[in-house]
Amino acid sequence: MRIIKKIDDLKKELFTLMGKKIGLIPTMGYIHEGHLSLIEQSIRENDINVVSIFVNPSQFGPNEDFNAYPRDMERDSKLLEERRVDILFSPDSGEMYPENFSTFVEVEKLSKVLCGRSRPIHFRGVCTVVLKLFNIVKPENVYFGAKDAQQAVIIKRMKEDLNLDISIKVMPIVRDEDGLALSSRNKYLSKEEREAALLMPEALKEANMLINNGLFEANKIREKIVRELKKNKCIKIDYVEIVNLKTLESLDKIDNNNTLVAVAIKLGETRLIDNFILGEI
Ligand code: PAF
């Protein structure tokens, strides 16, 4: 595996691989099984696999966890090497955002709801860095996890709106044995917080079962999830929302083919999200 830190070096390397099908897995590192499932899919579908590790400052608000975000490049590169990733691209901030950088990409509306309410600049930062990565790597296929469902919906919108010749692949959520969706931020949780966090996947599972049994009224499903989450006092609910999978607008009636049931909670300083999807992003 080649570890490349400079954009020009990566472009030169990729130039020598012209004609090969390139898969890109953008990450912020602290690689877990969720990332590895994206990498495995990319390896199945592409000739060359590029993983980027970049903790992107522009997607963190001023009071968020940019500095604390877990980083372990040595462990990450070992894991990627083992999986036979071809290129690890790990630029520093100055490389991605040189002095005088002033262009940002904003997907309107979709970026303002759900996580966008409490993280107003988040998706602008995500879209900007992702578009930069698309332009640098020029991949055929790019892989994202369904845990960040809103991110995937927004990136797909950006792809359509800006006519990007890229295929966006959204892979299923990977969970720990206890049901918690894998996230680099799980590392922050104390034992008690982790126990509390489990109410989120449990509440979602029950909600999914109710829908499978024919309950389609969104407010009833939403109330059920809120009730479950309120069973633990450590949990601060950011939102529980049932929305159309394409427009992210609230639904009254659940549509079996086009619904996102999404939850965000805070446990102490740690913000966690989870969801289930009826249909395809
Ligand atoms: O999902 C993430 O890890 C990040 O938002 C991404 C897509 C790598 C952009 O920084």
Side-chain angles (χ1 to χ4, degrees):
M1 181 177 75
R2 289 214 48 200
I3 301 179
I4 299 180
K5 291 183 172 300
K6 296 285 176 205
I7 294 169
D8 279 349
D9 292 345
L10 179 58
K11 284 186 169 172
K12 275 185 207 140
E13 177 74 16
L14 291 170
F15 189 73
T16 67
L17 299 166
M18 201 117 78
K20 302 249 191 231
K21 201 197 267 188
I22 295 174
L24 169 68
I25 305 96
T27 81
M28 297 206 300
Y30 214 69
I31 298 296
H32 52 64
E33 286 296 328
H35 299 118
L36 294 176
S37 76
L38 306 181
I39 291 167
E40 275 158 18
Q41 187 67 16
S42 177
I43 287 173
R44 280 193 284 274
E45 296 180 346
N46 301 282
D47 304 319
I48 297 293
N49 300 281
V50 180
V51 174
S52 63
I53 295 186
F54 178 61
V55 184
N56 173 33
S58 74
Q59 70 187 72
F60 289 80
N63 299 317
E64 293 183 8
D65 58 341
F66 173 69
N67 287 324
Y69 197 85
R71 295 159 168 90
D72 190 342
M73 201 47 103
E74 215 178 297
R75 176 183 156 278
D76 285 354
S77 31
K78 228 170 125 204
L79 282 171
L80 301 181
E81 180 104 53
E82 276 167 22
R83 301 290 156 139
R84 302 192 177 283
V85 166
D86 300 290
I87 298 173
L88 164 56
F89 178 51
S90 60
D92 65 20
S93 281
E95 184 70 5
M96 290 300 268
Y97 298 106
E99 219 185 324
N100 298 327
F101 184 92
S102 41
T103 305
F104 289 88
V105 184
E106 183 143 2
V107 175
E108 293 181 348
K109 281 192 187 152
L110 297 178
S111 296
K112 298 295 168 217
V113 296
L114 306 177
C115 290
R117 274 202 201 96
S118 48
R119 307 189 74 190
I121 61 154
H122 175 66
F123 291 111
R124 168 189 193 256
V126 169
C127 288
T128 302
V129 83
V130 163
L131 184 59
K132 279 173 74 71
L133 289 168
F134 289 177
N135 285 334
I136 295 164
V137 177
K138 299 191 176 64
E140 187 132 347
N141 297 307
V142 187
Y143 298 82
F144 295 95
K147 183 176 73 66
D148 298 303
Q150 183 177 13
Q151 170 172 282
V153 170
I154 288 173
I155 290 170
K156 280 209 159 182
R157 183 74 262 149
M158 174 175 80
K159 168 203 139 93
E160 291 303 322
D161 290 352
L162 300 183
N163 309 97
L164 305 177
D165 285 329
I166 279 172
S167 171
I168 310 283
K169 311 262 180 158
V170 184
M171 306 307 296
I173 296 179
V174 179
R175 296 180 182 281
D176 252 330
E177 268 173 27
D178 58 10
L180 192 63
L182 292 185
S183 158
S184 304
R185 289 191 169 96
N186 292 351
K187 178 186 154 58
Y188 300 145
L189 300 173
S190 68
K191 194 163 165 279
E192 293 72 31
E193 287 171 340
R194 187 173 174 110
E195 236 163 68
L198 294 182
L199 280 178
M200 188 163 55
E202 282 164 18
L204 285 168
K205 200 168 162 191
E206 282 183 39
N208 203 350
M209 261 157 47
L210 289 174
I211 297 170
N212 281 336
N213 289 338
L215 183 61
F216 293 114
E217 281 162 79
N219 63 339
K220 292 213 167 119
I221 298 292
R222 193 184 167 278
E223 277 164 20
K224 169 76 182 156
I225 297 172
V226 170
R227 250 197 328 275
E228 289 301 309
L229 295 175
K230 283 192 169 162
K231 283 183 179 162
N232 191 307
K233 294 272 178 301
C234 297
I235 295 181
K236 290 217 165 51
I237 299 176
D238 180 357
Y239 64 77
V240 175
E241 298 233 22
I242 300 177
V243 296
N244 176 294
L245 196 45
K246 306 282 173 315
T247 64
L248 303 183
E249 283 164 359
S250 284
L251 289 175
D252 293 331
K253 269 256 167 308
I254 287 167
D255 171 354
N256 252 331
N257 298 313
N258 204 12
T259 297
L260 166 66
V261 180
V263 177
I265 59 171
K266 270 195 108 174
L267 286 156
E269 288 306 303
T270 309
R271 190 169 181 282
L272 297 178
I273 55 174
D274 200 349
N275 69 67
F276 68 87
I277 290 166
L278 305 173
E280 236 178 78
I281 293 180

